């Protein structure tokens, strides 16, 4: 087998990432050597590969679905928003500068097409199949001229396209039809068909609509995936999704001890790698909430200040909302606070930033004896160490360089009483360390909480990926999907007017 596929979507958050991962896991279980690919990703959730390259976490998750190591080839262009109008451009795993949306789409993006195609070609030369993920919608007609991630990559690489639609939002038939009808004849020729995602109810009630869609477009529906809770792993974009009120908790089993443990995560602006708390939420009896008001910290046993692409901006936001004062009170009372990456920097005494915000000298919250200076060179590493008597692995993605002037050593940061800080993302995925940390938190909070002795975050992640593979295997037309990946889009697909505007 030698082939590829582009998984596009009618909208952002239609389910492209999880469908791509599901197809990858289904293929690898069939003995296919497969790799994921996303030409351009916009996300604040990123990961560091073993060679020290920064890519989107979604692609790292998809690589895990393929049972291969993630590399920069799998996500050659990563855009990390720094606000509404600009993003840091990460090319082949390394930052190359900041660009406005107009500057990027006005010329820089198209110049990256050659690099993107070279990466895809290298993957296709190494693997039996490459499953590509699009971005947003392929029918964004205002951006088609410079597109390198949807139909631009499909046309240049000759990839068949499967369009995913989220039926839970409503209007999926109109979205499918309209997506095809707004593409040029050349682009339409590559759109093989559709995949319905997040369906609730009796599929037989949907079948008349699918038949009519086929009659209108000449294209088949390759499957109807049922709605499943708990599959939104490694979300791409914390800007589009409001996390206010979101609760993550283990649904596997009740608490081992007598109490639950409540974790409040400050939903700071430009929050990055909020997936760090997924390992906490995987523990039976741990309830994780994203909060934005000081009163919501009152009953929390642990408060997490997560990473951010805007440390100074997040610090200002905490002060404006009264959360900064609430954090200071917590620390003075010996109640647990954990700062990760940007959150760690916020908890320190002083920040010198002429790189990210260009704000110059800014006072931090003063909860940890740490001074931070932002360097132009970004730290991208995969450290290994020990804390609380347990081995720990993590990854670092930051411009801030921390000078620790006291406290008790904690990973690369420090601890003062029950205030903890580190630059290490992903450390809580180390099971022994996570359990030891939660025991400390429970003791400080006076909770009779006991971590489960056998929770394996890696095993839970594998179970989630297998569930995605099961969805494809059980609810998609895998024979037709196989032919599509191997042979490309069917010949003679009809043109649906009006097509793309001139």
């Amino acid at each position: 087998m030698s082939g590829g596929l582009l998984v596009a979507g009618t909208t952002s958050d239609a389910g492209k990432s999880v469908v791509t991962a599901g197809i990858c896991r289904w293929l690898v279980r069939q003995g296919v050597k497969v790799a994921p690919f996303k030409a351009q990703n916009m996300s604040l959730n990123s990961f560091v590969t073993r060679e020290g390259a920064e890519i989107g976490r979604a692609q790292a998750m998809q690589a895990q679905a393929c049972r291969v190591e993630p590399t920069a080839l799998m996500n050659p262009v990563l855009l990390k928003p720094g606000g509404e109008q600009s993003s840091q451009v990460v090319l082949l795993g390394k930052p190359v500068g900041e660009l406005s949306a107009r500057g990027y789409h006005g010329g820089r993006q198209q110049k990256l097409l050659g690099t993107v195609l070279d990466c895809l070609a290298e993957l296709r030369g190494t693997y039996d199949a490459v499953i590509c993920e699009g971005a947003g919608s392929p029918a964004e007609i205002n951006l088609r001229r410079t597109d390198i991630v949807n139909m631009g990559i499909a046309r240049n690489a000759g990839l068949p396209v499967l369009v995913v639609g989220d039926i839970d939002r409503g209007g999926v038939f109109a979205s499918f039809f309209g997506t095809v009808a707004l593409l040029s004849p050349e682009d339409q020729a590559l759109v093989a068909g559709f995949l319905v995602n997040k369906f609730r109810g009796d599929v037989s009630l949907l079948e008349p609509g699918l038949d009519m869609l086929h009659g209108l477009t000449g294209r088949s529906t390759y499957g109807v995936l049922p709605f499943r809770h708990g599959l939104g792993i490694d979300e791409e974009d914390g800007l589009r999704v409001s996390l206010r009120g979101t609760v993550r908790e283990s649904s596997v089993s009740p608490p081992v001890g007598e109490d639950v443990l409540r974790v409040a995560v400050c939903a700071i602006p430009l929050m990055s790698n909020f997936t760090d708390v997924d390992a906490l939420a995987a523990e039976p009896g741990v309830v994780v909430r994203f909060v934005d008001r000081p009163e919501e910290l009152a009953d929390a046993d642990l408060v997490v200040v997560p990473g951010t692409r805007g440390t100074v901006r997040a610090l200002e936001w905490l002060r404006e909302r009264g959360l900064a004062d609430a954090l200071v009170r917590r620390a003075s009372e010996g109640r647990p606070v954990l700062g990760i990456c940007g959150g760690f920097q916020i908890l320190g005494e002083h920040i010198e930033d002429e790189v990210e915000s260009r704000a110059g000298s800014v006072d931090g919250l003063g909860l940890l004896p740490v001074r931070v200076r932002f360097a132009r060179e970004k730290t991208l590493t995969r450290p290994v160490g020990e804390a609380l008597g347990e081995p720990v692995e993590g990854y670092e993605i930051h411009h801030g360089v921390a000078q620790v002037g006291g406290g008790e050593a904690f990973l690369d940061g420090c601890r003062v009483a029950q205030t903890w800080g580190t630059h290490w993302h992903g450390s809580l995925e180390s099971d022994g360390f996570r359990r030891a940390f939660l025991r400390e938190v429970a003791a400080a909070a006076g909770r009779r909480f006991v971590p489960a002795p056998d929770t394996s975050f890696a095993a839970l992640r594998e179970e989630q990926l297998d569930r995605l593979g099961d969805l494809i295997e059980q609810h998609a037309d895998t024979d037709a999907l196989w032919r599509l990946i191997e042979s490309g889009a069917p010949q003679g697909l009809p043109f649906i007017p009006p097509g793309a505007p001139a």
Side-chain angles (χ1 to χ4, degrees):
M1 180 180 188
S2 177
L5 174 69
L6 176 70
V7 178
T10 56
T11 62
S12 296
D13 201 35
K16 297 184 292 293
S17 294
V18 293
V19 167
T20 300
I23 293 173
C24 288
R25 178 49 61 101
W26 162 65
L27 284 172
V28 82
R29 293 196 306 208
Q30 308 307 308
V32 177
K33 187 180 178 184
V34 60
F37 179 78
K38 185 161 185 173
Q40 172 195 294
N41 195 348
M42 176 173 280
S43 179
L44 288 171
N45 283 335
S46 58
F47 182 76
V48 179
T49 67
R50 293 206 180 277
E51 69 267 30
E54 184 179 10
I55 66 171
R57 268 199 72 101
Q59 280 60 66
M61 177 266 291
Q62 291 160 359
Q64 187 175 347
C66 297
R67 298 181 180 143
V68 298
E69 273 293 322
T71 73
L73 294 174
M74 297 171 183
N75 179 206
V77 181
L78 173 63
L79 305 178
K80 303 194 72 174
E84 297 295 328
Q85 299 295 328
S86 67
S87 294
Q88 183 181 65
V89 181
V90 179
L91 179 61
L92 293 175
K94 304 297 180 183
V96 294
E98 295 271 343
L99 276 180
S100 67
R102 180 178 292 276
Y104 183 68
H105 291 288
R108 179 63 185 270
Q109 182 183 34
Q110 198 169 28
K111 293 177 181 177
L112 297 175
L113 180 60
T115 299
V116 163
L117 290 172
D118 288 345
C119 291
L120 178 57
E122 187 170 342
L123 288 174
R124 296 184 81 177
T126 305
Y127 292 88
D128 300 329
V130 178
I131 307 303
C132 308
E133 180 188 344
S137 162
E140 292 170 347
I141 54 179
N142 57 315
L143 303 177
R144 176 61 184 90
R145 182 178 61 83
T146 58
D147 170 49
I148 64 170
V149 65
N150 290 306
M151 300 314 299
I153 194 78
R155 282 270 293 279
N156 279 279
L159 294 171
V161 179
L162 183 68
V163 181
V164 177
D166 178 358
I167 197 169
D168 199 45
R169 295 183 174 192
V172 74
F173 292 115
S175 297
F176 281 146
F177 183 86
T179 296
V180 178
L182 281 175
L183 300 178
S184 69
E186 295 81 5
D187 286 352
Q188 285 194 24
L190 293 172
V191 178
F194 313 107
L195 186 73
V196 177
N197 192 27
K198 301 181 187 177
F199 180 72
R200 306 172 192 251
D202 185 346
V203 176
S204 67
L205 298 176
L206 195 64
E207 288 172 352
L210 299 178
D211 292 340
M212 285 186 274
L213 182 66
H214 184 271
L216 288 166
T217 67
R219 290 160 172 84
S220 300
T221 298
Y222 283 71
V224 177
L225 306 185
F227 185 95
R228 290 287 186 267
H229 287 284
L231 293 181
I233 49 179
D234 289 359
E235 291 94 329
E236 285 195 346
D237 194 347
L239 287 180
R240 277 196 302 270
V241 181
S242 172
L243 295 170
R244 175 80 184 90
T246 296
V247 176
R248 301 180 179 203
E249 61 181 311
S250 172
S251 58
V252 178
S253 57
V256 174
E258 296 180 44
D259 288 343
V260 299
L261 207 64
R262 295 175 175 84
V263 179
V265 184
C266 296
I268 55 181
L270 299 176
M271 182 166 41
S272 63
N273 288 66
F274 55 84
T275 47
D276 281 334
V277 300
D278 283 351
L280 294 178
E283 283 285 347
V286 176
V287 180
V288 178
R289 300 173 296 164
F290 290 86
V291 304
D292 59 8
R293 296 196 299 259
E295 58 269 24
E296 293 175 302
L297 305 188
D299 66 344
D301 303 305
L302 168 67
V303 174
V304 178
V305 187
T308 173
R309 246 283 277 161
T311 299
V312 171
R313 178 178 168 185
L315 178 57
E316 292 170 350
W317 182 88
L318 289 168
R319 285 178 168 139
E320 289 166 359
R321 291 186 169 245
L323 284 159
D325 290 339
L327 288 168
V328 172
R329 283 195 300 273
R330 280 188 69 90
S332 67
E333 294 165 0
R335 303 178 66 197
V337 177
L338 170 65
I340 302 175
C341 199
F344 167 42
Q345 297 165 8
I346 285 169
L347 299 183
E349 297 172 344
H350 187 78
I351 298 168
E352 192 70 33
D353 181 11
E354 299 291 351
V355 176
E356 189 177 77
S357 68
R358 298 180 176 84
S361 297
V362 178
D363 287 333
L365 297 186
L367 305 184
L368 292 173
V370 175
R371 301 180 71 84
V372 176
R373 177 186 56 80
F374 275 70
R376 298 200 176 276
E377 191 74 18
K378 181 183 281 191
T379 297
L380 296 167
T381 63
R382 291 273 293 270
V384 176
E386 183 178 299
L388 302 180
E390 298 286 347
V392 189
E393 295 183 14
Y395 58 99
E396 294 186 53
I397 306 169
H398 54 90
H399 284 279
V401 178
Q403 180 182 353
V404 179
E408 181 182 341
F410 175 63
L411 302 176
D412 71 328
C414 65
R415 168 190 182 181
V416 173
Q418 291 301 319
T419 300
W420 316 63
T422 177
H423 273 131
W424 289 25
H425 293 291
S427 62
L428 293 166
E429 295 178 18
S430 298
D431 298 325
F433 166 71
R434 182 180 64 254
R435 287 192 277 269
F437 176 70
L438 289 176
R439 282 192 290 269
E440 291 249 1
V441 169
R447 295 285 186 187
R448 290 171 294 184
F449 168 85
V450 178
D454 55 356
T455 301
S456 166
F457 185 75
L460 289 172
R461 173 53 56 85
E462 278 295 302
E463 288 175 16
Q464 284 186 306
L465 293 172
D466 277 332
R467 288 175 66 196
L468 293 177
D470 292 343
L471 278 179
I472 298 300
E473 190 168 329
Q474 296 167 11
H475 300 282
D477 185 343
T478 52
D479 289 340
L481 199 56
W482 189 282
R483 289 193 298 272
L484 187 63
I485 294 168
E486 191 171 34
S487 304
Q491 297 297 307
L493 292 169
F495 170 70
I496 308 302

